[in-house]
């Protein structure tokens, strides 16, 4: 029901704009709009109450009311948007009439009284239903789970546990460490990961195995809506059952905390604080255990990375089971042995395990379902599909959904909306963060109403994306170590999460997704579509689009997304209120499918990635609402017509190689703030006129690079608002001189790839780049001078630094000494260093807040080459990646690093022509190594 709340959030500001804007409303009409606005605000208040409750706890009548409100708000918003265009003289009345039957009485810009009356009549009907259902009296109830699904994990036999031996060995080493290094070890370890991944199982297994090493121990469940006093009483009861079996009910929170602290004083204890959802819950409980001494250890489990980092100490990210462990667990559950499954079941078994994605609760649930079914592939395939369509009502499936739904129910309504929008993507689709956020912006999921002062809507979108990752609901992907900038740019939805949001989306009629076999995701194939389609997603799907019934359904669609090769798409002329058009890899479409593009007058986001069109249609100039155009990955050069200059609201243009129609000047696109394009003389010629640019990415591929670079540098000095600058050469390496007298002081990101600078730029200093947070440069000289490093160290906002030092040949290994001081690299979190002849040496106090280090080794290492690396001096380090082109270096690196005391995860990447081999291990204080090798 959160979807209705989101719809209202975009509608109400528009009604306000209608009242104060220059729309020439008659006095009586203004009064009715004001009355409508007040009524909708009352509905929004009631909707917020409904949105706080899990879907399965909402009365069916209330669900119907909320659905009616959502549909009504969509219709009103469509009508208001279209009226605004019409009133400005940009929209023909005939098109306006088609938008919604609410406006069928519209005649002129000054006569909309009948329209507002129709709206008010419908709103009053919905309001009366609200009063009948007593929606305003609803109060959110805590989520109740009849039998806590985690209890099974606590009482599971050790012989039944699969795939936890490596993480348990690794965490055991950490938990038994005490005063054996030069620096104090944290007494807290947080296990963080996706719901159902086995965090509780792992934590309880550790507790049972290690409790004999401690004076006392306890295990408490916190859950989504914790009762702090109940938890504290539970702790006391476990610590001394006899003494606290009859706790005085009058004891308040402070008294309970004092009793626990008194008991634990001078005792070495081990405890598990399980399933912590919010920082506030941890803050209450930690008061009782925060003075842990004598090597006491606290294990926290959570689904939220923010909570884990807030708790302090070490963080262990729980990973899904490997393919082998997944099979082992599945076979053990269904066949009661480790034997291979029957040959005729192998294929369907792999499909099932792929969907489970290494999540133990999903594997166990599916195995329990299959245990009662005949052992044949047809029956197993039915079960696999039944889970997808939500048809299976077994206790096991219900419990699994409950575990997954807890994470969804905990989301605020705006994040629920954003997560459900991901149901339009196919399985295993790699989803670009920028494309996702742009679609959120276009649909109004991110609004001015929720924007904190000093932040942009784009930044709010990035925070939403990060929060979904931190809550383990989407998975970060595509972190190529030689390209990353410390941020996640691509994500993926776990198959089980996708199944969940597909079902929720189908229930709320949020996204209608047709799969390649013509079935609708999240619904039984027999289910008929009763509601209006608001968002349509087609996955390599073909169906008849010509019928009048189909066209009527499309008239309300706000977002159309097509994935994969298709022969045709519905005619664009059917989509009167479309805001988002996303055609991904639709190589089968020809440009004729875009003929009616100009009729999409409300379109804000147009994505034509990897499409085969060689030119944009002339009608694109009619898209006066268009804010984002993404045509990256086009197979050939794309011609921009002269009408392109009419796109006065275009904020973002992301393209590859473009050809401008004769007379077309990109410099006339005054609203452009973000531009990514391949360098050509015609594109670069008047770049300096784009005064509002915030982000500029230029890709060089031709021989004209040096000439074009000079022009670009002149333009850059005129960009007073520039925040991000990316210059990339995609064919080998080009030696250039990048030196400017002026650089925009607002610059926050500078990424230079493939362009070797002949000298260290004079403009890289703290006085000119005080806001610079991300820096990547390639330098063309033998070694970095100490004063250059000092200038980098003084940059106050620098969080990510990548230095690539290139020389003409392989000389003797040099050492780059990085000293520590109070102001040196005060904000740096990520450091990437690539050189064929140098290795860094970190001195005490160097880079005090560094969390991730990446080194690329281009030469053959000899024993002793890494002796002075100094990782032990990087006290905040959490992850180290060492890349090498020579597999022989692996032994040298392991030998050099094995005795370092840091609790940093070490990853060795051996880059060969055909494969990247990865070693992952944790360096423990005792010097032992737990290794996982992936080919």
């Amino acid at each position: 029901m959160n979807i209705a709340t989101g719809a209202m959030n975009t509608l109400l500001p528009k009604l306000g704009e209608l009242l104060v804007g220059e729309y020439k409303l008659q006095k009586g009409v203004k009064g009715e709009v004001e009355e409508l606005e007040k009524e909708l605000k009352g509905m929004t208040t009631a909707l917020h109450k409904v949105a706080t409750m899990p879907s399965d706890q909402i009365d069916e009548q209330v669900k119907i009311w909320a659905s009616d409100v959502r549909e009504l708000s969509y219709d009103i918003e469509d009508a208001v948007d279209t009226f605004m265009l019409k009133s400005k003289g940009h929209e023909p009345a005939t098109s306006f009439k088609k938008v919604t039957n609410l406006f069928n009485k519209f005649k002129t810009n000054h006569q909309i009284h009948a329209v507002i009356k129709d709206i008010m009549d419908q709103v009053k009907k919905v309001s009366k239903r609200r009063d009948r259902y007593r929606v305003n009296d609803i109060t959110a109830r805590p989520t109740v789970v009849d039998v806590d699904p985690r209890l099974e994990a606590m009482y599971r036999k050790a012989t039944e546990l699969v795939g936890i031996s490596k993480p348990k060995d690794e965490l055991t080493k950490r938990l038994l460490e005490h005063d054996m290094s030069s620096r104090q070890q944290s007494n807290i370890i947080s296990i963080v990961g996706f719901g159902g991944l086995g965090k509780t199982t792992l934590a309880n297994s550790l507790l049972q195995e290690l409790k004999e090493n401690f004076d006392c121990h306890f295990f408490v469940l916190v859950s989504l809506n914790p009762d702090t006093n109940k938890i504290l009483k539970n702790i006391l009861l476990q610590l001394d059952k006899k003494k606290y079996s009859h706790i005085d009910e009058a004891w308040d929170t402070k008294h309970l905390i004092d009793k626990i602290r008194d008991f634990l004083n001078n005792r070495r204890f081990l405890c598990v604080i399980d399933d912590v959802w919010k920082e506030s819950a941890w803050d209450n409980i930690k008061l009782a255990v925060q003075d842990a001494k004598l090597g006491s250890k606290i294990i926290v489990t959570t689904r939220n990375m923010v909570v884990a980092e807030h708790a302090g100490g070490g963080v262990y990210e729980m990973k899904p089971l490997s393919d082998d462990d997944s099979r082992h667990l599945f076979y053990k559950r269904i066949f009661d042995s480790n034997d291979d499954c029957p040959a005729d079941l192998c294929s369907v078994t792999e499909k099932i395990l792929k969907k489970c994605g290494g999540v133990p609760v999903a594997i166990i649930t599916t195995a329990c379902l299959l245990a009662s079914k005949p052992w044949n592939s047809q029956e197993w395939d039915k079960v696999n599909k039944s889970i997808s369509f939500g048809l299976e009502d077994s206790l096991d499936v219900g419990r699994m959904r409950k575990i997954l739904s807890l994470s969804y129910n905990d989301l605020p309504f705006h994040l629920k909306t954003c997560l459900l929008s991901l149901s339009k993507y196919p399985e295993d689709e790699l989803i670009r963060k920028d494309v996702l956020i742009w679609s959120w912006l276009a649909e109004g999921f991110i609004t001015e109403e929720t924007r904190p002062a000093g932040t942009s809507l784009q930044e709010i979108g990035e925070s939403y994306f990060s929060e979904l990752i931190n809550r383990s609901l989407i998975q970060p992907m595509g972190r190529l170590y030689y390209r990353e900038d410390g941020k996640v740019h691509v994500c993926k939805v776990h198959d089980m999460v996708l199944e969940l949001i597909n079902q929720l989306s189908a229930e709320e009629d949020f996204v209608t997704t047709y799969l390649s076999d013509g079935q609708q995701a999240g619904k039984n194939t027999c289910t008929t579509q009763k509601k209006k389609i608001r968002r349509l997603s087609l996955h390599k799907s073909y169906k008849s689009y010509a019928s009048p019934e189909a066209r009527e359904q499309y008239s309300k669609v706000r977002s159309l997304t097509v994935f994969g090769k298709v022969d045709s798409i519905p005619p664009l002329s059917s989509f009167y209120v479309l805001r988002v058009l996303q055609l991904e890899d639709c190589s089968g479409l020809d440009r004729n499918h875009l003929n009616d593009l100009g009729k999409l007058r409300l379109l804000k986001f147009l994505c034509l990635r990897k499409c085969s069109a060689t030119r944009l249609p002339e009608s694109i100039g009619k898209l006066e609402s268009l804010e984002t155009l993404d045509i990256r990955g086009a197979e050939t050069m794309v011609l921009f017509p002269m009408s392109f200059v009419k796109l006065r609201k275009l904020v973002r243009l992301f393209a590859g190689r473009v050809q401008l129609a004769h007379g077309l000047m990109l410099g006339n696109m005054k609203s452009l703030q973000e531009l990514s394009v391949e360098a050509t003389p015609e594109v670069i010629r008047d770049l300096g006129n784009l005064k509002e640019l915030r982000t500029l990415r230029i890709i060089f591929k031709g021989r004209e690079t040096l000439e074009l670079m000079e022009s670009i540098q002149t333009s850059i000095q005129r960009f007073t608002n520039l925040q991000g600058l990316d210059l990339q050469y995609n064919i080998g390496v080009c030696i250039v001189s990048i030196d400017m007298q002026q650089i925009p002081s607002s610059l926050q990101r500078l990424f230079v790839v493939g362009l070797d600078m002949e000298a260290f730029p004079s403009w890289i200093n703290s006085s000119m780049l005080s806001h610079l947070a991300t820096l990547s440069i390639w330098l063309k000289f033998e070694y970095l001078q100490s004063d250059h490093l000092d200038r980098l160290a003084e940059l106050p906002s620098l969080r990510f630094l990548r230095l690539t030092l290139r020389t003409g040949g392989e000389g003797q290994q040099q050492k780059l000494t990085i000293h520590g001081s109070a102001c040196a690299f005060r904000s740096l979190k990520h450091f990437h260093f690539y050189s064929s002849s140098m290795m860094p040496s970190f001195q005490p106090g160097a880079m005090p807040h560094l969390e991730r280090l990446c080194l690329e080794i281009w030469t053959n290492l000899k024993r002793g080459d890494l002796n002075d690396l100094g990782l032990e001096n990087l006290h905040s380090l959490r992850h180290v990646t060492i890349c090498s082109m020579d597999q022989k270096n692996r032994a040298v690196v392991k030998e050099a690093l094995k005795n370092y005391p840091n609790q940093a995860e070490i990853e060795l990447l051996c880059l060969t022509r055909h494969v990247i081999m990865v070693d992952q291990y944790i360096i423990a204080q005792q010097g032992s190594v737990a290794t996982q090798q992936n080919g």
Side-chain angles (χ1 to χ4, degrees):
M1 296 301 103
N2 53 286
I3 307 305
T5 309
M8 283 294 190
N9 282 350
T10 62
L11 173 58
L12 288 172
K14 290 177 181 177
L15 289 177
E17 183 182 348
L18 196 62
L19 289 170
V20 300
E22 299 178 2
Y23 296 99
K24 302 178 183 179
L25 296 183
Q26 297 172 356
K27 186 175 181 180
V29 177
K30 278 193 173 183
E32 294 194 348
V33 172
E34 289 173 346
E35 183 183 354
L36 173 62
E37 187 179 27
K38 290 178 183 177
E39 186 63 37
L40 293 179
K41 284 181 178 177
M43 288 182 171
T44 303
T45 301
L47 284 170
H48 275 293
K49 293 182 179 181
V50 176
T52 61
M53 300 179 62
S55 178
D56 58 359
Q57 297 184 40
I58 302 175
D59 184 86
E60 285 302 315
Q61 289 182 319
V62 175
K63 287 183 179 181
I64 293 171
W65 170 81
S67 177
D68 289 344
V69 172
R70 177 192 65 210
E71 295 300 320
L72 182 58
S73 66
Y74 283 150
D75 282 340
I76 296 173
E77 184 178 22
D78 290 343
V80 169
D81 282 346
T82 310
F83 169 69
M84 288 178 171
L85 276 181
K86 169 67 180 68
S87 68
K88 293 177 180 178
H90 301 316
E91 183 71 14
T94 54
S95 175
F96 183 69
K97 289 179 184 177
K98 292 179 181 178
V99 171
T100 171
N101 55 12
L102 292 174
F103 272 60
N104 57 9
K105 297 181 181 181
F106 179 83
K107 287 185 172 58
T108 74
N109 190 34
H110 303 285
Q111 298 172 331
I112 62 169
H113 182 273
V115 176
I116 297 297
K117 186 176 184 304
D118 282 348
I119 293 175
M120 283 302 299
D121 287 345
Q122 294 195 40
V123 169
K124 287 176 180 177
K125 289 178 183 178
V126 173
S127 296
K128 288 178 181 178
R129 283 196 287 274
R130 176 189 65 194
D131 295 337
R132 287 200 301 271
Y133 303 154
R134 302 180 63 83
V135 174
N136 286 324
D137 295 335
I138 290 177
T139 56
R141 303 192 300 271
T143 302
V144 177
V145 181
D146 296 332
V147 178
D148 196 307
R150 295 159 303 180
L151 290 177
E152 181 185 354
M154 293 180 61
Y155 295 104
R156 194 168 294 153
K157 296 178 182 178
T159 55
E160 296 179 3
L161 302 180
V162 174
I164 70 166
S165 58
K166 288 181 180 177
K168 189 164 76 170
D169 288 346
E170 188 175 301
L171 289 173
T172 296
K173 294 185 182 77
R174 296 200 204 181
L175 291 167
L176 295 181
E177 292 167 358
H178 175 58
D179 295 335
M180 296 182 65
S181 72
S182 58
R183 64 188 180 94
Q184 181 66 39
Q185 298 294 319
S186 170
N187 62 348
I188 301 173
I189 291 179
S190 293
I191 304 173
V192 61
F194 177 68
L197 207 50
K199 301 181 297 295
T200 300
T201 301
L202 174 59
N204 188 61
S205 180
L206 286 165
L207 182 76
Q208 299 306 319
E209 187 166 305
L210 302 178
K211 61 186 180 183
E212 299 302 325
N213 297 293
F214 296 83
D215 299 328
C216 56
H217 64 275
F218 59 88
F219 185 116
V220 288
L221 301 172
V222 178
S223 300
L224 185 56
N225 297 290
D227 181 333
T228 301
N229 280 9
K230 184 177 180 181
I231 292 170
L232 296 174
K233 290 174 183 177
N234 188 359
I235 292 174
L236 283 173
L237 193 61
Q238 292 185 60
L239 291 175
D240 193 330
K241 186 174 182 178
K242 183 176 181 180
K243 184 176 181 179
Y244 297 111
S245 57
H246 301 288
I247 295 177
D248 190 339
E249 292 300 319
W251 286 3
D252 61 11
T253 303
K254 182 181 183 304
H255 195 77
L256 290 168
I257 290 173
D258 288 342
K259 288 290 184 181
I260 295 172
R261 289 167 65 94
D262 288 343
F263 186 94
L264 296 178
N265 188 38
N266 293 324
R267 284 187 170 96
R268 185 169 184 250
F269 66 89
L270 172 65
C271 70
V272 174
I273 314 296
D274 186 47
D275 203 26
V276 183
W277 286 78
K278 293 180 171 61
E279 296 157 87
S280 57
W282 164 251
D283 288 339
N284 290 331
I285 296 171
K286 77 172 183 181
L287 296 174
V289 297
Q290 65 183 357
D291 291 334
K293 300 174 182 177
L294 305 176
S296 296
K297 295 293 178 179
I298 303 165
I299 304 172
V300 177
T301 75
T302 179
R303 303 186 187 195
N304 196 330
M305 179 61 76
V306 172
V307 171
E309 292 175 343
H310 177 74
V315 175
Y316 180 81
E317 293 186 54
M318 193 87 174
K319 299 292 192 297
L321 295 179
S322 67
D323 290 346
D324 287 342
D325 284 336
S326 295
R327 291 188 193 94
H328 183 184
L329 179 59
F330 183 78
Y331 294 163
K332 196 169 185 177
R333 281 284 170 153
I334 197 165
F335 303 124
D336 198 27
S337 72
N338 297 333
D339 296 335
D340 291 339
C341 69
D344 61 327
L345 295 178
C346 286
S347 178
V348 67
T349 296
E350 290 305 310
K351 291 180 183 177
I352 291 169
L353 291 177
K354 188 266 174 190
K355 179 179 292 183
C356 293
V359 177
V361 69
I363 296 170
I364 292 170
T365 297
T366 309
C368 290
L369 274 177
L370 293 170
S372 61
K373 305 289 183 183
W375 284 10
N376 66 70
S377 58
Q378 291 81 9
E379 287 295 325
W380 282 30
D381 198 49
K382 285 180 183 178
V383 171
N384 186 38
K385 290 180 178 178
S386 71
I387 296 175
S388 301
F389 292 118
L391 303 180
E392 187 66 57
D393 289 327
S394 77
L395 181 63
D396 293 303
V397 172
R399 183 165 46 192
M400 180 179 69
R401 287 189 191 137
K402 178 69 72 175
I403 291 173
L404 296 175
S405 296
L406 285 173
S407 293
Y408 176 80
N409 292 334
D410 184 52
L411 293 173
F413 72 85
H414 60 274
L415 286 183
K416 287 180 179 177
T417 301
C418 291
L419 182 63
L420 286 192
S421 73
L422 290 165
S423 63
K424 70 182 181 181
Y425 286 96
E427 264 186 24
D428 300 323
E429 183 77 9
L430 294 180
I431 305 167
R432 291 185 63 102
K433 176 179 69 173
D434 51 9
V435 172
L436 187 60
I437 292 174
W438 296 335
S439 67
W440 290 347
L441 289 168
E443 286 216 60
F445 300 159
I446 307 168
T447 65
E448 291 283 352
E449 303 299 303
T450 58
R451 181 170 67 90
T455 58
S456 66
L457 293 180
Q458 176 82 19
E459 289 170 331
I460 300 302
E462 293 198 2
S463 71
Y464 289 1
F465 182 86
S466 297
E467 192 163 356
L468 290 175
I469 285 179
N470 287 334
R471 290 171 178 261
S472 304
L473 286 167
I474 58 179
Q475 300 170 306
M477 300 293 291
R479 284 187 163 183
L480 298 176
Y481 294 99
Y482 54 91
R483 289 182 178 236
E484 71 168 306
D485 60 357
K487 297 181 179 180
V488 177
H489 295 282
V490 180
C491 74
K492 178 183 170 185
V493 184
H494 190 283
D495 284 359
M496 299 310 296
V497 175
L498 185 60
E499 297 291 356
L500 172 68
I501 62 177
N502 277 342
Q503 292 169 26
L504 293 171
S505 182
E507 288 171 9
E508 298 204 18
D509 294 293
F510 184 61
V511 178
T512 302
T513 299
Y514 289 108
L515 306 176
S516 57
D517 56 5
Q519 297 177 349
Q520 184 182 343
K523 279 195 174 182
N524 184 353
T525 53
C526 298
T527 303
T528 57
Q529 181 67 40
K530 297 179 181 179
K531 298 288 185 179
K532 300 169 184 174
I533 298 179
R534 300 293 181 176
R535 296 166 187 87
L536 178 62
S537 180
L538 306 175
H539 301 174
K540 299 181 182 178
S541 178
Y542 176 82
K543 58 179 292 187
S544 175
Y545 303 116
S547 67
E549 295 80 9
R551 286 176 178 263
E552 178 59 30
Q553 282 188 314
Y554 302 148
S555 67
K556 305 296 182 183
V557 172
R558 305 161 72 87
S559 170
L560 171 63
T561 311
V562 183
F563 294 95
K565 186 174 182 179
V566 292
D567 296 322
S568 65
I569 60 175
L572 296 181
S573 57
S574 304
F575 299 92
Y576 307 123
V577 295
L578 202 66
R579 272 79 168 178
V580 172
L581 176 57
Q582 189 173 346
L583 306 180
E584 295 274 0
D585 199 15
C586 299
S587 54
L589 295 178
D590 59 43
R591 68 183 185 185
N592 292 329
H593 288 95
L594 301 178
N595 283 345
D596 293 328
L597 188 64
K599 295 182 179 181
L600 308 179
R601 310 304 281 273
L602 298 180
L603 194 68
K604 292 187 175 183
F605 174 44
L606 174 59
C607 177
L608 304 174
R609 285 177 53 78
K610 298 183 180 179
C611 288
S612 54
T614 57
R615 61 176 297 156
L616 298 177
E618 188 71 28
S619 62
I620 195 171
K622 296 180 181 180
L623 303 181
E624 295 158 83
S625 302
L626 193 65
E627 296 175 351
T628 303
L629 175 60
D630 182 2
I631 55 171
R632 288 173 290 187
E635 297 175 0
T636 61
M637 180 180 290
V638 179
L639 175 65
F640 283 20
M642 191 63 193
S643 64
F644 188 79
V645 77
K646 296 180 181 179
L647 302 178
R648 299 299 185 185
K649 289 188 177 181
L650 193 67
V651 176
R652 303 169 196 90
L653 172 58
F654 284 73
R657 193 168 182 83
V658 302
Q659 179 183 353
L660 304 181
H662 181 70
L664 174 59
M665 307 282 286
L666 273 186
N668 292 329
M669 310 292 291
K670 302 299 184 183
S671 59
L672 272 181
Q673 295 183 14
E674 299 181 43
L675 176 63
S676 175
V677 69
E678 191 173 316
T680 62
E682 58 180 351
V683 168
I684 302 301
R685 66 189 173 194
D686 58 344
L687 204 58
N689 293 324
L690 300 175
K691 300 293 181 63
E692 296 302 314
L693 272 186
R694 297 323 195 250
T695 300
L696 175 63
R697 182 170 184 257
I698 301 292
I699 301 171
F700 301 93
K701 287 187 177 179
R703 297 179 178 179
E704 302 167 325
T705 297
L706 295 178
E707 294 81 0
L708 294 176
M709 180 62 67
E710 185 175 342
S711 299
I712 290 173
Q713 291 185 68
T714 302
S715 298
I716 289 171
Q717 299 180 74
R718 301 169 63 183
F719 297 146
T720 56
N721 298 311
L722 194 67
Q723 297 177 357
L725 175 62
D726 283 40
L727 303 174
Q728 181 174 333
Y729 188 74
N730 276 1
I731 305 175
V733 178
C734 181
I735 301 173
V736 297
S737 175
I738 304 179
D739 210 352
M740 291 169 280
Q741 297 301 315
Q742 291 292 329
I743 193 77
S745 60
S746 56
L747 200 64
Q748 298 175 16
R749 170 191 168 96
L750 174 61
F751 231 68
V752 181
V753 177
L755 295 166
D756 270 355
M757 300 183 187
E758 293 180 309
F760 191 87
S762 60
W763 40 268
I764 295 185
N765 58 69
S766 57
S767 61
M768 297 184 72
L769 294 174
S770 60
H771 299 291
L772 191 68
T774 301
L775 175 63
S776 171
I777 54 175
W778 291 39
L779 301 174
K780 181 60 179 177
F781 51 88
E782 188 170 353
Y783 53 89
L784 190 66
Q785 303 293 331
S786 59
D787 61 316
H788 299 156
L789 192 65
D790 291 341
R791 290 197 348 232
L792 291 171
E794 291 170 358
L795 294 173
S797 304
L798 192 64
R799 295 174 59 85
F800 176 94
L801 173 62
R802 186 170 81 181
L803 289 177
T804 303
L805 304 183
R806 297 178 63 88
T807 63
E810 297 182 4
Q812 185 178 358
Q813 194 73 258
Q814 302 287 325
K815 182 169 67 174
L816 176 67
T817 303
I818 302 177
H819 298 283
S821 69
C823 296
F825 296 109
R826 70 192 78 172
S827 302
L828 197 68
K829 301 284 188 181
H830 297 248
F831 180 43
H832 290 215
F833 186 78
Y834 307 154
S835 173
S836 60
S837 59
M838 297 191 74
M839 289 296 290
S841 176
F842 299 99
Q843 303 302 300
M847 297 184 176
H849 303 294
L850 190 70
E851 296 177 357
R852 180 182 285 267
L853 172 67
C854 184
L855 304 176
E856 185 167 306
I857 302 170
W858 296 344
T859 58
N860 294 330
L861 290 176
K862 300 185 296 295
R863 189 171 184 177
D865 282 349
L866 298 179
N867 285 352
D868 296 328
L869 197 54
L871 290 190
E872 70 276 11
N873 295 319
L874 301 175
H875 293 173
S876 298
L877 197 62
R878 289 176 51 185
H879 193 105
V880 180
T881 300
I882 297 182
C883 310
S884 173
M885 298 299 293
D886 190 340
Q887 293 191 39
K888 296 178 182 177
N889 285 337
R890 184 184 303 167
V892 178
V893 173
K894 283 186 177 181
E895 176 67 24
L897 300 180
K898 69 176 184 179
N899 292 319
Y900 282 117
N902 299 59
Q903 291 184 0
E905 182 178 350
I906 308 293
E907 190 171 41
L908 306 182
L909 272 65
C910 290
L911 308 175
T912 66
R913 177 174 297 180
H914 301 293
V915 68
I916 297 179
M917 300 190 68
V918 180
D919 281 350
Q920 290 183 325
Y921 56 98
I922 298 294
I923 298 177
Q925 285 176 332
Q926 294 87 343
S928 56
V929 176
T931 302
Q932 178 179 356
Q933 192 175 94
N934 302 314

